[in-house]
Amino acid sequence: MFTTISHMFLWVRDQQEAKDFYVGKLGFEVGTDVTLEEYGGMRWLTVVAPGGLQIALSSVDLSVVHDPDGPAFLREMLAKGLGAGGILRVEDCRAAYDELRGRGVEFSEEPTEHFYGVDAAFRDPSGNQWRVTQPAPVPAGA
Amino acid sequence: MVHDPLERHLLRARDLIDTRYGDHLDVPTLAARAGVSPAHFARRFRATFGEAPHQYLLTRRLERAQFLLRETDRTVAEICLDVGLTSVGSFTTTFKRVVGMTPTAYRELARTPLPAIPMCVLREMTRPK
């Protein structure tokens, strides 16, 4: 039936700011970036994460079509840290942390050893949180 | 250029509590992280997140204490210091008031190892209400 997840959706407070972050700082590729003037300037913007998943960076302003208070509500929820996010896998969490910080990524958690591996966390400008996880090695024979 | 709303600034202080709960965190430190005047910080934090910063810090510490009680062999006194509290007596009293049993009783009860749940999710799921 299903073959894969091709796209996931992420609310962002500003699409250009989000593009600068996901492409310029994280190094994701641009999938599609088109602005449809005939639909009131609606912008369809996706970035491609390593592995191929496309993330549609959706402007909170779009939510006005369902609720006049939607944009303000979503903006506030994102700013409070109630947005979405995910887990990015790396081979070396501390090296990734140093490199991303050097590019100006704002971390909310420094690399820390947990029983499941080493991980850190950062937030995008809107407030969506991503973890950067280096899984613990699987014990031999497991 | 997009400007951060007040909530986004306050989130930085909340993130600081979640990561530096073992340190002495006072209002001036947290207010500086959020870029908010110390005089207004506590009120604004409470209005945004629904609880006062010292209360949020306390529940974070108790949540970590619960984790350490179930996942490590460290003593109650060591865990008290690990989570940034200094008096074992008041730690035990507060733990009992919020969690409903003493640290030792909690340790006996919660023996099942936790699955690999990311820390930030575990934090939200297990923080005392």
Side-chain angles (χ1 to χ4, degrees), chain A residues 79-93:
Chain A
K80 286 186 183 186
L82 285 166
I87 303 177
L88 295 162
R89 184 159 290 197
V90 290
E91 286 179 5
D92 184 339
C93 177

Side-chain angles (χ1 to χ4, degrees), chain A residues 43-104:
Chain A
R43 183 174 180 184
W44 171 245
L45 169 64
T46 73
V47 293
V48 189
L53 176 67
Q54 297 211 41
I55 301 169
L57 300 172
S58 310
S59 168
V60 294
D61 292 332
L62 264 187
S63 66
V64 76
V65 300
H66 297 300
D67 182 343
D69 300 326
F73 174 78
L74 288 173
R75 246 175 246 285
E76 186 181 336
M77 292 300 114
L78 287 174
K80 286 186 183 186
L82 285 166
I87 303 177
L88 295 162
R89 184 159 290 197
V90 290
E91 286 179 5
D92 184 339
C93 177
R94 290 184 179 87
Y97 170 82
D98 288 339
E99 185 172 341
L100 291 167
R101 259 177 58 111
R103 295 185 205 159

Side-chain angles (χ1 to χ4, degrees), chain A:
Chain A
M1 196 165 58
F2 311 123
T3 53
T4 189
I5 298 180
S6 62
H7 292 68
M8 291 288 283
F9 294 76
L10 193 64
W11 288 120
V12 296
R13 65 184 186 183
D14 182 278
Q15 286 178 303
Q16 188 56 46
E17 177 190 58
K19 183 182 179 184
D20 292 345
F21 180 82
Y22 283 94
V23 177
K25 287 193 163 63
L26 299 192
F28 291 8
E29 303 278 331
V30 176
T32 311
D33 185 1
V34 291
T35 300
L36 303 169
E37 298 301 342
E38 66 275 30
Y39 291 110
M42 181 266 188
R43 183 174 180 184
W44 171 245
L45 169 64
T46 73
V47 293
V48 189
L53 176 67
Q54 297 211 41
I55 301 169
L57 300 172
S58 310
S59 168
V60 294
D61 292 332
L62 264 187
S63 66
V64 76
V65 300
H66 297 300
D67 182 343
D69 300 326
F73 174 78
L74 288 173
R75 246 175 246 285
E76 186 181 336
M77 292 300 114
L78 287 174
K80 286 186 183 186
L82 285 166
I87 303 177
L88 295 162
R89 184 159 290 197
V90 290
E91 286 179 5
D92 184 339
C93 177
R94 290 184 179 87
Y97 170 82
D98 288 339
E99 185 172 341
L100 291 167
R101 259 177 58 111
R103 295 185 205 159
V105 173
E106 180 187 334
F107 275 80
S108 46
E109 283 180 50
E110 290 160 15
T112 308
E113 197 127 359
H114 301 294
F115 61 92
Y116 57 75
V118 183
D119 75 357
F122 64 80
R123 293 189 185 278
D124 76 5
S126 296
N128 294 304
Q129 182 162 267
W130 292 85
R131 300 195 75 80
V132 179
T133 303
Q134 169 191 343
V138 179

